[in-house]
Amino acid sequence: MKTKLKTKKAMIAIKLLIILVIGAVLPTMINLSKMQILQFDFLLNFIGAQIGLSLALLAIFFTLIEKYKDKLGKEKFNIFFTPIINEFKDDIKSYFGMLIIIIIASFFPFDTSITLFSYTFKIVQWIGVSTLLLSIIVLWDILNATLKLIKFISEL
């Protein structure tokens, strides 16, 4: 079980590192200042809508939990539903963290740059790109958890 947890954490770290590298490199290759999808008003609305969707799915999920809790028994219930509950919990925390980062970053001009080791790092654009990519991955994770739930319930 610990090996599986370490592998999962390693995969999350690798995905996050890839997102951060893409977020850092992409603004230097392409002029992103005119892209509406990376503007903070869009990102705030997008992430806010995803939080709302996640909470709605979680409410539906808990309604289903109550329906199937007695039918499954405690052991089977814990084996299946606890990991999905934890996935939803982690995803909602991720969205909330992204929302806070976007709100803080929106106080700075979009073209704010920092130079490190002769590399101009467009920090606000990096935050925008990274947040957008991360939110898409978290949305994918929510979709997978929901599909697991639907598959499990359809097999009962």
Side-chain angles (χ1 to χ4, degrees), residues 13-138:
I14 290 169
K15 286 178 188 177
L16 187 58
L17 183 63
I18 290 170
I19 288 171
L20 294 176
V21 168
I22 290 172
V25 173
L26 196 60
T28 62
M29 297 169 55
I30 302 170
N31 181 11
L32 301 175
S33 60
K34 302 280 189 224
M35 293 185 73
Q36 292 296 320
I37 197 168
L38 294 177
Q39 300 301 318
F40 291 126
D41 57 341
F42 173 81
L43 287 173
L44 286 170
N45 288 332
F46 183 65
I47 292 171
Q50 287 181 342
I51 289 172
L53 175 67
S54 300
L55 291 174
L57 286 172
L58 195 59
I60 292 169
F61 180 65
F62 277 111
T63 304
L64 291 172
I65 285 175
E66 290 302 317
K67 184 176 180 182
Y68 291 101
K69 194 172 195 176
D70 297 329
K71 188 176 183 179
L72 288 173
K74 187 171 181 147
E75 186 176 321
K76 234 182 175 182
F77 176 82
N78 285 338
I79 289 171
F80 180 74
F81 283 106
T82 302
I84 291 181
I85 291 170
N86 289 335
E87 277 187 57
F88 272 106
K89 181 178 71 172
D90 293 343
D91 293 339
I92 291 170
K93 283 181 183 177
S94 298
Y95 280 138
F96 189 69
M98 285 185 271
L99 192 63
I100 290 170
I101 290 169
I102 289 295
I103 288 170
I104 292 169
S106 67
F107 289 111
F108 299 98
F110 195 69
D111 290 329
T112 302
S113 299
I114 297 174
T115 303
L116 296 171
F117 307 111
S118 73
Y119 175 76
T120 303
F121 188 67
K122 297 179 180 177
I123 191 146
V124 178
Q125 291 182 17
W126 168 75
I127 290 171
V129 172
S130 298
T131 303
L132 182 65
L133 294 173
L134 187 58
S135 67
I136 291 169
I137 288 174
V138 172

